[in-house]
Amino acid sequence: MKKQCALVTGGSKGIGKAISKTLGVDHNLHILVNYHSDEKAAQDTLDLLHSENISAELLKFNVSDREEVSTTLEKWKTSNPDKIITVLVNNAGVAKDNLLLWMTEPEWDSVIDTSLKGMFNLTQFVLKDMVMQKFGRIINISSLSGVKGNAGQFNYSAAKGGMISATKALAQEIGKKGITVNAVAPGFIKTEMVSDEVIGTYQKFIPAGRIGEPEEVADLVSFLASEKAGYINGSVININGGLYC
């Protein structure tokens, strides 16, 4: 029987780091921690996982580069015939905030390519094996911005909103194959992407009265990755402390 693995894109920092750890602890999965450029953060995350006796390794590639994704994962599959990816968490994302009037094409392309093209590249690659084994969990990390839109985030809202629509579409395509596809939409979570200025501005509007923790998002992802969540499909689950406007 092959060892089940979870691939977490953008898995070396923030929410991705917390998800990598929680999936390893809760499900005894071999964790594939994807990262793009920050070698130190990736190594720190790998060291953390190993200190928790979690089986894990690093996979370096740019999620928006289709050839790089395919080459890296094909090489990994060939080198690991005893392992199979059963959980995919499309978490990689970047923010390049700007008002639309002044938004540059690179700011648009970078955000769209990372979230949407990255999701396309990774999901299409792992889906074939999931269909063959008639089991899989695909969890797309969207955002509150993708649910309601956010001023100054025309690109980010479009990318994260696109992830939500794609989640619902794919769930209908493969729901009979034993594979679930769901989206998680975090609000303000305590990561390096959320500045102290943003926290100070928005925290007072959050009914829960606080900013969320990455581990809280990770716990939700962990449940969606479990067999207990087999009847949850095509859903968008908000985790935002009650902030909807």
Side-chain angles (χ1 to χ4, degrees):
M1 183 140 179
K2 293 186 177 183
K3 175 69 174 178
Q4 294 190 15
C5 305
L7 171 55
V8 183
T9 67
S12 66
K13 296 180 181 178
I15 291 174
K17 181 177 182 178
I19 290 172
S20 295
K21 178 181 176 181
T22 301
L23 288 177
V25 170
D26 289 355
H27 302 291
N28 192 32
L29 294 165
H30 178 71
I31 308 299
L32 304 174
V33 180
N34 159 254
Y35 72 104
H36 181 202
S37 58
D38 195 332
E39 301 279 353
K40 183 180 185 306
Q43 188 59 51
D44 287 346
T45 296
L46 185 64
D47 291 343
L48 171 66
L49 298 182
H50 286 168
S51 72
E52 297 283 341
N53 295 317
I54 296 170
S55 175
E57 64 183 288
L58 300 176
L59 284 181
K60 181 179 181 180
F61 57 81
N62 179 356
V63 297
S64 67
D65 187 324
R66 187 167 179 81
E67 183 176 352
E68 191 175 336
V69 169
S70 179
T71 299
T72 303
L73 292 182
E74 285 288 1
K75 182 178 179 181
W76 179 84
K77 283 181 64 175
T78 301
S79 300
N80 295 273
D82 59 330
K83 297 183 177 71
I84 189 165
I85 297 171
T86 55
V87 177
L88 170 65
V89 182
N90 286 306
N91 169 72
V94 295
K96 303 286 184 180
D97 295 350
N98 205 345
L99 295 175
L100 178 59
L101 279 172
W102 294 283
M103 184 171 290
T104 65
E105 187 174 2
E107 287 173 337
W108 168 266
D109 289 344
S110 175
V111 173
I112 296 296
D113 286 352
T114 303
S115 289
L116 282 182
K117 190 176 180 183
M119 177 184 64
F120 169 71
N121 289 339
L122 271 297
T123 304
Q124 191 175 59
F125 187 93
V126 305
L127 195 57
K128 296 171 186 175
D129 285 342
M130 288 183 176
V131 169
M132 289 182 63
Q133 67 195 358
K134 297 182 179 179
F135 179 82
R137 296 287 186 261
I138 300 170
I139 302 150
N140 299 318
I141 306 302
S142 181
S143 168
L144 175 65
S145 295
V147 174
K148 75 174 192 67
N150 195 35
Q153 290 192 319
F154 182 83
N155 48 3
Y156 193 74
S157 297
K160 295 302 186 178
M163 292 182 79
I164 288 173
S165 296
T167 295
K168 295 178 179 181
L170 184 58
Q172 294 179 63
E173 290 184 18
I174 60 175
K176 294 181 179 180
K177 304 294 185 181
I179 304 165
T180 64
V181 191
N182 292 291
V184 172
F188 291 99
I189 306 297
K190 200 177 296 181
T191 69
E192 62 183 28
M193 288 183 68
V194 181
S195 67
D196 291 339
E197 181 182 358
V198 169
I199 292 174
T201 300
Y202 288 97
Q203 183 165 294
K204 61 190 175 191
F205 297 112
I206 302 173
R210 66 178 178 85
I211 301 296
E213 298 290 340
E215 291 75 18
E216 293 177 296
V217 180
D219 285 339
L220 174 55
V221 171
S222 178
F223 175 71
L224 291 174
S226 72
E227 292 190 7
K228 292 180 179 180
Y231 201 56
I232 303 174
N233 200 16
S235 294
V236 182
I237 303 178
N238 297 288
I239 178 165
N240 57 28
L243 180 64
Y244 288 96
C245 60

PDB file of all heavy atoms in Angstrom, residues 51-73:
ATOM      1  N   SER A  51      10.969  17.945  13.670  1.00  0.00           N
ATOM      2  CA  SER A  51      11.034  17.978  15.139  1.00  0.00           C
ATOM      3  C   SER A  51       9.748  17.432  15.758  1.00  0.00           C
ATOM      4  O   SER A  51       9.744  17.003  16.915  1.00  0.00           O
ATOM      5  CB  SER A  51      11.289  19.400  15.632  1.00  0.00           C
ATOM      6  OG  SER A  51      10.136  20.223  15.461  1.00  0.00           O
ATOM      7  N   GLU A  52       8.656  17.466  14.960  1.00  0.00           N
ATOM      8  CA  GLU A  52       7.369  16.916  15.416  1.00  0.00           C
ATOM      9  C   GLU A  52       7.187  15.474  14.929  1.00  0.00           C
ATOM     10  O   GLU A  52       6.077  14.934  15.008  1.00  0.00           O
ATOM     11  CB  GLU A  52       6.231  17.791  14.875  1.00  0.00           C
ATOM     12  CG  GLU A  52       6.236  19.229  15.366  1.00  0.00           C
ATOM     13  CD  GLU A  52       5.727  19.366  16.782  1.00  0.00           C
ATOM     14  OE1 GLU A  52       5.046  18.439  17.264  1.00  0.00           O
ATOM     15  OE2 GLU A  52       6.004  20.410  17.406  1.00  0.00           O
ATOM     16  N   ASN A  53       8.267  14.888  14.432  1.00  0.00           N
ATOM     17  CA  ASN A  53       8.238  13.525  13.906  1.00  0.00           C
ATOM     18  C   ASN A  53       7.268  13.362  12.736  1.00  0.00           C
ATOM     19  O   ASN A  53       6.636  12.319  12.557  1.00  0.00           O
ATOM     20  CB  ASN A  53       7.887  12.523  15.017  1.00  0.00           C
ATOM     21  CG  ASN A  53       8.960  12.455  16.089  1.00  0.00           C
ATOM     22  OD1 ASN A  53      10.148  12.435  15.785  1.00  0.00           O
ATOM     23  ND2 ASN A  53       8.536  12.440  17.341  1.00  0.00           N
ATOM     24  N   ILE A  54       7.170  14.422  11.933  1.00  0.00           N
ATOM     25  CA  ILE A  54       6.331  14.399  10.739  1.00  0.00           C
ATOM     26  C   ILE A  54       7.213  14.089   9.530  1.00  0.00           C
ATOM     27  O   ILE A  54       8.240  14.733   9.320  1.00  0.00           O
ATOM     28  CB  ILE A  54       5.624  15.754  10.536  1.00  0.00           C
ATOM     29  CG1 ILE A  54       4.669  16.030  11.702  1.00  0.00           C
ATOM     30  CG2 ILE A  54       4.876  15.782   9.212  1.00  0.00           C
ATOM     31  CD1 ILE A  54       4.115  17.448  11.707  1.00  0.00           C
ATOM     32  N   SER A  55       6.802  13.109   8.763  1.00  0.00           N
ATOM     33  CA  SER A  55       7.507  12.777   7.527  1.00  0.00           C
ATOM     34  C   SER A  55       7.252  13.880   6.505  1.00  0.00           C
ATOM     35  O   SER A  55       6.101  14.211   6.204  1.00  0.00           O
ATOM     36  CB  SER A  55       7.008  11.429   6.992  1.00  0.00           C
ATOM     37  OG  SER A  55       7.582  11.132   5.749  1.00  0.00           O
ATOM     38  N   ALA A  56       8.318  14.483   5.985  1.00  0.00           N
ATOM     39  CA  ALA A  56       8.136  15.633   5.093  1.00  0.00           C
ATOM     40  C   ALA A  56       9.361  15.855   4.229  1.00  0.00           C
ATOM     41  O   ALA A  56      10.464  15.389   4.545  1.00  0.00           O
ATOM     42  CB  ALA A  56       7.850  16.893   5.918  1.00  0.00           C
ATOM     43  N   GLU A  57       9.148  16.572   3.130  1.00  0.00           N
ATOM     44  CA  GLU A  57      10.240  16.989   2.269  1.00  0.00           C
ATOM     45  C   GLU A  57       9.851  18.272   1.561  1.00  0.00           C
ATOM     46  O   GLU A  57       8.675  18.649   1.520  1.00  0.00           O
ATOM     47  CB  GLU A  57      10.590  15.899   1.251  1.00  0.00           C
ATOM     48  CG  GLU A  57       9.479  15.598   0.263  1.00  0.00           C
ATOM     49  CD  GLU A  57       9.852  14.460  -0.680  1.00  0.00           C
ATOM     50  OE1 GLU A  57      10.702  14.696  -1.559  1.00  0.00           O
ATOM     51  OE2 GLU A  57       9.270  13.361  -0.531  1.00  0.00           O
ATOM     52  N   LEU A  58      10.840  18.954   0.990  1.00  0.00           N
ATOM     53  CA  LEU A  58      10.610  20.205   0.287  1.00  0.00           C
ATOM     54  C   LEU A  58      10.524  19.966  -1.223  1.00  0.00           C
ATOM     55  O   LEU A  58      11.246  19.133  -1.771  1.00  0.00           O
ATOM     56  CB  LEU A  58      11.741  21.197   0.566  1.00  0.00           C
ATOM     57  CG  LEU A  58      11.964  21.607   2.027  1.00  0.00           C
ATOM     58  CD1 LEU A  58      13.183  22.511   2.134  1.00  0.00           C
ATOM     59  CD2 LEU A  58      10.732  22.300   2.596  1.00  0.00           C
ATOM     60  N   LEU A  59       9.648  20.712  -1.875  1.00  0.00           N
ATOM     61  CA  LEU A  59       9.562  20.705  -3.334  1.00  0.00           C
ATOM     62  C   LEU A  59       9.580  22.156  -3.802  1.00  0.00           C
ATOM     63  O   LEU A  59       8.629  22.905  -3.567  1.00  0.00           O
ATOM     64  CB  LEU A  59       8.283  20.024  -3.820  1.00  0.00           C
ATOM     65  CG  LEU A  59       8.226  18.499  -3.777  1.00  0.00           C
ATOM     66  CD1 LEU A  59       6.896  18.009  -4.320  1.00  0.00           C
ATOM     67  CD2 LEU A  59       9.371  17.881  -4.565  1.00  0.00           C
ATOM     68  N   LYS A  60      10.652  22.534  -4.465  1.00  0.00           N
ATOM     69  CA  LYS A  60      10.798  23.907  -4.929  1.00  0.00           C
ATOM     70  C   LYS A  60      10.324  24.038  -6.372  1.00  0.00           C
ATOM     71  O   LYS A  60      10.851  23.388  -7.269  1.00  0.00           O
ATOM     72  CB  LYS A  60      12.267  24.348  -4.832  1.00  0.00           C
ATOM     73  CG  LYS A  60      12.501  25.780  -5.275  1.00  0.00           C
ATOM     74  CD  LYS A  60      13.972  26.169  -5.143  1.00  0.00           C
ATOM     75  CE  LYS A  60      14.197  27.612  -5.576  1.00  0.00           C
ATOM     76  NZ  LYS A  60      15.608  28.024  -5.455  1.00  0.00           N
ATOM     77  N   PHE A  61       9.302  24.858  -6.586  1.00  0.00           N
ATOM     78  CA  PHE A  61       8.877  25.205  -7.934  1.00  0.00           C
ATOM     79  C   PHE A  61       7.930  26.397  -7.876  1.00  0.00           C
ATOM     80  O   PHE A  61       7.318  26.678  -6.851  1.00  0.00           O
ATOM     81  CB  PHE A  61       8.204  24.027  -8.660  1.00  0.00           C
ATOM     82  CG  PHE A  61       7.003  23.436  -7.955  1.00  0.00           C
ATOM     83  CD1 PHE A  61       5.752  24.018  -8.047  1.00  0.00           C
ATOM     84  CD2 PHE A  61       7.134  22.269  -7.219  1.00  0.00           C
ATOM     85  CE1 PHE A  61       4.643  23.462  -7.417  1.00  0.00           C
ATOM     86  CE2 PHE A  61       6.037  21.694  -6.580  1.00  0.00           C
ATOM     87  CZ  PHE A  61       4.798  22.299  -6.683  1.00  0.00           C
ATOM     88  N   ASN A  62       7.839  27.084  -9.002  1.00  0.00           N
ATOM     89  CA  ASN A  62       6.915  28.200  -9.157  1.00  0.00           C
ATOM     90  C   ASN A  62       5.587  27.647  -9.643  1.00  0.00           C
ATOM     91  O   ASN A  62       5.499  27.113 -10.747  1.00  0.00           O
ATOM     92  CB  ASN A  62       7.497  29.200 -10.168  1.00  0.00           C
ATOM     93  CG  ASN A  62       6.586  30.388 -10.417  1.00  0.00           C
ATOM     94  OD1 ASN A  62       5.476  30.469  -9.900  1.00  0.00           O
ATOM     95  ND2 ASN A  62       7.055  31.321 -11.228  1.00  0.00           N
ATOM     96  N   VAL A  63       4.539  27.779  -8.838  1.00  0.00           N
ATOM     97  CA  VAL A  63       3.250  27.164  -9.183  1.00  0.00           C
ATOM     98  C   VAL A  63       2.685  27.680 -10.495  1.00  0.00           C
ATOM     99  O   VAL A  63       1.902  26.986 -11.157  1.00  0.00           O
ATOM    100  CB  VAL A  63       2.210  27.357  -8.054  1.00  0.00           C
ATOM    101  CG1 VAL A  63       2.653  26.668  -6.780  1.00  0.00           C
ATOM    102  CG2 VAL A  63       1.910  28.832  -7.823  1.00  0.00           C
ATOM    103  N   SER A  64       3.057  28.895 -10.897  1.00  0.00           N
ATOM    104  CA  SER A  64       2.510  29.472 -12.126  1.00  0.00           C
ATOM    105  C   SER A  64       3.252  29.034 -13.386  1.00  0.00           C
ATOM    106  O   SER A  64       2.811  29.299 -14.498  1.00  0.00           O
ATOM    107  CB  SER A  64       2.511  31.005 -12.050  1.00  0.00           C
ATOM    108  OG  SER A  64       3.830  31.513 -12.027  1.00  0.00           O
ATOM    109  N   ASP A  65       4.369  28.341 -13.202  1.00  0.00           N
ATOM    110  CA  ASP A  65       5.168  27.854 -14.333  1.00  0.00           C
ATOM    111  C   ASP A  65       4.787  26.407 -14.613  1.00  0.00           C
ATOM    112  O   ASP A  65       5.223  25.485 -13.925  1.00  0.00           O
ATOM    113  CB  ASP A  65       6.656  27.970 -14.002  1.00  0.00           C
ATOM    114  CG  ASP A  65       7.560  27.650 -15.185  1.00  0.00           C
ATOM    115  OD1 ASP A  65       7.215  26.748 -15.976  1.00  0.00           O
ATOM    116  OD2 ASP A  65       8.615  28.284 -15.312  1.00  0.00           O
ATOM    117  N   ARG A  66       3.974  26.192 -15.628  1.00  0.00           N
ATOM    118  CA  ARG A  66       3.413  24.859 -15.900  1.00  0.00           C
ATOM    119  C   ARG A  66       4.497  23.812 -16.148  1.00  0.00           C
ATOM    120  O   ARG A  66       4.420  22.688 -15.636  1.00  0.00           O
ATOM    121  CB  ARG A  66       2.472  24.932 -17.081  1.00  0.00           C
ATOM    122  CG  ARG A  66       1.705  23.636 -17.331  1.00  0.00           C
ATOM    123  CD  ARG A  66       0.579  23.876 -18.312  1.00  0.00           C
ATOM    124  NE  ARG A  66      -0.152  22.654 -18.586  1.00  0.00           N
ATOM    125  CZ  ARG A  66      -1.106  22.143 -17.805  1.00  0.00           C
ATOM    126  NH1 ARG A  66      -1.433  22.752 -16.691  1.00  0.00           N
ATOM    127  NH2 ARG A  66      -1.726  21.030 -18.147  1.00  0.00           N
ATOM    128  N   GLU A  67       5.502  24.171 -16.924  1.00  0.00           N
ATOM    129  CA  GLU A  67       6.564  23.217 -17.222  1.00  0.00           C
ATOM    130  C   GLU A  67       7.353  22.866 -15.964  1.00  0.00           C
ATOM    131  O   GLU A  67       7.698  21.703 -15.747  1.00  0.00           O
ATOM    132  CB  GLU A  67       7.501  23.791 -18.286  1.00  0.00           C
ATOM    133  CG  GLU A  67       8.603  22.823 -18.706  1.00  0.00           C
ATOM    134  CD  GLU A  67       9.462  23.356 -19.833  1.00  0.00           C
ATOM    135  OE1 GLU A  67       9.128  24.407 -20.406  1.00  0.00           O
ATOM    136  OE2 GLU A  67      10.479  22.707 -20.149  1.00  0.00           O
ATOM    137  N   GLU A  68       7.617  23.852 -15.127  1.00  0.00           N
ATOM    138  CA  GLU A  68       8.357  23.611 -13.893  1.00  0.00           C
ATOM    139  C   GLU A  68       7.565  22.719 -12.939  1.00  0.00           C
ATOM    140  O   GLU A  68       8.119  21.815 -12.310  1.00  0.00           O
ATOM    141  CB  GLU A  68       8.690  24.946 -13.222  1.00  0.00           C
ATOM    142  CG  GLU A  68       9.681  24.840 -12.079  1.00  0.00           C
ATOM    143  CD  GLU A  68      10.074  26.189 -11.526  1.00  0.00           C
ATOM    144  OE1 GLU A  68       9.970  27.202 -12.260  1.00  0.00           O
ATOM    145  OE2 GLU A  68      10.470  26.243 -10.349  1.00  0.00           O
ATOM    146  N   VAL A  69       6.267  22.980 -12.850  1.00  0.00           N
ATOM    147  CA  VAL A  69       5.407  22.140 -12.007  1.00  0.00           C
ATOM    148  C   VAL A  69       5.433  20.698 -12.492  1.00  0.00           C
ATOM    149  O   VAL A  69       5.653  19.755 -11.720  1.00  0.00           O
ATOM    150  CB  VAL A  69       3.953  22.674 -12.018  1.00  0.00           C
ATOM    151  CG1 VAL A  69       3.004  21.661 -11.372  1.00  0.00           C
ATOM    152  CG2 VAL A  69       3.869  24.000 -11.278  1.00  0.00           C
ATOM    153  N   SER A  70       5.197  20.502 -13.792  1.00  0.00           N
ATOM    154  CA  SER A  70       5.131  19.165 -14.366  1.00  0.00           C
ATOM    155  C   SER A  70       6.456  18.420 -14.220  1.00  0.00           C
ATOM    156  O   SER A  70       6.485  17.250 -13.805  1.00  0.00           O
ATOM    157  CB  SER A  70       4.743  19.254 -15.837  1.00  0.00           C
ATOM    158  OG  SER A  70       4.699  17.975 -16.426  1.00  0.00           O
ATOM    159  N   THR A  71       7.553  19.095 -14.527  1.00  0.00           N
ATOM    160  CA  THR A  71       8.872  18.460 -14.465  1.00  0.00           C
ATOM    161  C   THR A  71       9.207  18.045 -13.039  1.00  0.00           C
ATOM    162  O   THR A  71       9.674  16.923 -12.793  1.00  0.00           O
ATOM    163  CB  THR A  71       9.953  19.425 -14.987  1.00  0.00           C
ATOM    164  OG1 THR A  71       9.678  19.745 -16.363  1.00  0.00           O
ATOM    165  CG2 THR A  71      11.329  18.787 -14.889  1.00  0.00           C
ATOM    166  N   THR A  72       8.959  18.935 -12.083  1.00  0.00           N
ATOM    167  CA  THR A  72       9.289  18.648 -10.683  1.00  0.00           C
ATOM    168  C   THR A  72       8.454  17.500 -10.139  1.00  0.00           C
ATOM    169  O   THR A  72       8.975  16.582  -9.488  1.00  0.00           O
ATOM    170  CB  THR A  72       9.072  19.896  -9.811  1.00  0.00           C
ATOM    171  OG1 THR A  72       9.865  20.975 -10.315  1.00  0.00           O
ATOM    172  CG2 THR A  72       9.478  19.619  -8.367  1.00  0.00           C
ATOM    173  N   LEU A  73       7.160  17.520 -10.414  1.00  0.00           N
ATOM    174  CA  LEU A  73       6.283  16.488  -9.860  1.00  0.00           C
ATOM    175  C   LEU A  73       6.462  15.146 -10.563  1.00  0.00           C
ATOM    176  O   LEU A  73       6.354  14.083  -9.928  1.00  0.00           O
ATOM    177  CB  LEU A  73       4.828  16.942  -9.926  1.00  0.00           C
ATOM    178  CG  LEU A  73       4.477  18.114  -9.000  1.00  0.00           C
ATOM    179  CD1 LEU A  73       2.993  18.451  -9.100  1.00  0.00           C
ATOM    180  CD2 LEU A  73       4.831  17.789  -7.546  1.00  0.00           C
TER     181      LEU A  73
END
